[in-house]
Amino acid sequence: QVHLVESGGGLVQPGGSLRLSCTASGDNFPIETMGWYRQAPGKERELVAEIDRRGGANYLDSVKGRFTVSRDNAKRTVALQMNTLKPDDTAVYYCRAARPGVWPGGFLDLWGQGTLVTVSS
């Protein structure tokens, strides 16, 4: 059974930086997509950034140029480097790992427990 463990949230001033990390443990089958979502109070959860095994990445428009997603397939980790943070980035950030059913190991759609990022002066 795969588990996701996140770290790196906290309080930062506007314009500051934070780095989130997420590690998948459990089975050793490849994971197709790893990424980060966020949910602010009173809002729906939204995709922030995701990256596939080949390194192809997608970003939420509002974070392009400020956030960078990366992964290490061997270590089964995904990271989100967040720069020039804004108060609107305040949210609980969730790691996600996904794998189609036809892949070795079978279907996977797993979420981490969430880590709070607060951007405030």
Side-chain angles (χ1 to χ4, degrees):
Q1 188 174 6
V2 180
H3 301 277
L4 298 178
V5 177
E6 302 153 342
S7 62
L11 173 64
V12 64
Q13 292 186 343
S17 298
L18 278 176
R19 183 177 178 85
L20 306 182
S21 296
C22 174
T23 300
S25 62
D27 71 32
N28 290 318
F29 295 106
I31 299 172
E32 182 189 30
T33 303
M34 300 187 78
W36 295 92
Y37 288 68
R38 69 186 182 189
Q39 187 165 19
K43 296 186 177 181
E44 293 188 353
R45 191 173 296 188
E46 62 182 356
L47 172 67
V48 177
E50 63 181 1
I51 184 169
D52 63 30
R53 284 186 60 82
R54 296 166 300 280
N58 295 313
Y59 293 91
L60 179 68
D61 283 347
S62 63
V63 308
K64 288 180 180 177
R66 300 189 297 123
F67 291 10
T68 303
V69 65
S70 60
R71 67 185 283 178
D72 185 324
N73 291 330
K75 296 181 179 179
R76 300 167 66 81
T77 60
V78 62
L80 185 68
Q81 177 65 41
M82 304 184 292
N83 299 326
T84 320
L85 282 159
K86 305 175 181 180
D88 284 350
D89 296 318
T90 295
V92 177
Y93 284 69
Y94 297 90
C95 176
R96 182 186 184 210
R99 179 172 65 215
V102 296
W103 278 41
F107 177 79
L108 180 70
D109 188 0
L110 190 65
W111 296 84
Q113 79 281 3
T115 185
L116 178 62
V117 172
T118 303
V119 185
S120 175
S121 55

